[in-house]
Amino acid sequence: SFSTFAGSLILLAGSLGVALYFVSCEWLLSGGPDATRVIPHMALAGMTGLSSLTIITCYNISLAGYYGVTSVYVKPVEAVNGSWGGIAIVAPLLVLDNAVHAGAYFYMLNSIGAVSAGIMKGLRAAAVFVLSATIFCQMDATQCIVLLQDGHLGTGILKCFAMYMVVRGVFQYSVAPRLEPPQKEPSDPRDPNASFCSELSYGAF
């Protein structure tokens, strides 16, 4: 359907945006085009967090100003009999969790690079498929991995295929460099162990 196609395009655009974000962050961490203006990874994490906080704050102020604080924040909680005490406990924990996550992300990005960090993020997405099916399948049928449904292939086939591609990519990316033969560095003609031809070339010049 058109909605599925449009959703796939949006997902693809989002994936490209995330990839651009990864590479841009690594570019900033490496010092830019001349590699002289290196930004510490924790400083970059803080600047990114402040930028996101500014955008989210402006968005919430706009919603509250247009629809009213009661309609945006109070009524949704009361509609599901939510606990304000629980929200007061969970919200700071969520902030702490996001701070640790952001710090770990920029540390890994600074240590292993954008490609490896992106692959680890893909592996995390594959793990989410399995955990969501294990934990939330009984509460939400869409989280289940259904291979066969009414004699036809279920949507779980696509999930399993996606997980297979991610895990295979991680495995291939990790193992491939170890399978390549080590490249020999060119011998130094000044080295006494250099080849005879190298010595002749060095002596000629």
Side-chain angles (χ1 to χ4, degrees), residues 186-199:
S187 58
D188 187 353
R190 296 175 179 80
D191 189 350
N193 297 322
S195 64
F196 178 71
C197 294
S198 299
E199 292 180 359

Side-chain angles (χ1 to χ4, degrees), residues 145-181:
I145 300 179
V146 181
L147 301 180
L148 292 175
Q149 186 175 11
D150 298 331
H152 302 284
L153 295 178
T155 57
I157 293 294
L158 296 178
K159 291 184 178 182
C160 292
F161 179 74
M163 287 188 291
Y164 163 76
M165 294 299 295
V166 170
V167 174
R168 181 180 181 275
V170 172
F171 178 78
Q172 185 172 355
Y173 179 79
S174 303
V175 175
R178 302 179 182 180
L179 300 180
E180 296 179 356

Side-chain angles (χ1 to χ4, degrees), residues 53-66:
L53 178 62
T54 301
I55 295 173
I56 293 174
T57 301
C58 293
Y59 173 74
N60 280 273
I61 291 176
S62 301
L63 285 180
Y66 185 79

Side-chain angles (χ1 to χ4, degrees), residues 31-67:
D34 51 2
T36 57
R37 300 178 179 178
V38 178
I39 300 177
H41 63 277
M42 294 308 296
L44 184 58
M47 289 186 289
T48 304
L50 289 176
S51 301
S52 301
L53 178 62
T54 301
I55 295 173
I56 293 174
T57 301
C58 293
Y59 173 74
N60 280 273
I61 291 176
S62 301
L63 285 180
Y66 185 79
Y67 294 104

Side-chain angles (χ1 to χ4, degrees), residues 25 46 56 66-67 72 80 90 114 116 122 128-129 138 156 159 164 168 175 183 187 190 201:
C25 288
I56 293 174
Y66 185 79
Y67 294 104
V72 176
V80 294
V90 172
S116 299
V128 168
F129 279 138
Q138 296 180 351
K159 291 184 178 182
Y164 163 76
R168 181 180 181 275
V175 175
Q183 297 181 355
S187 58
R190 296 175 179 80
S201 300

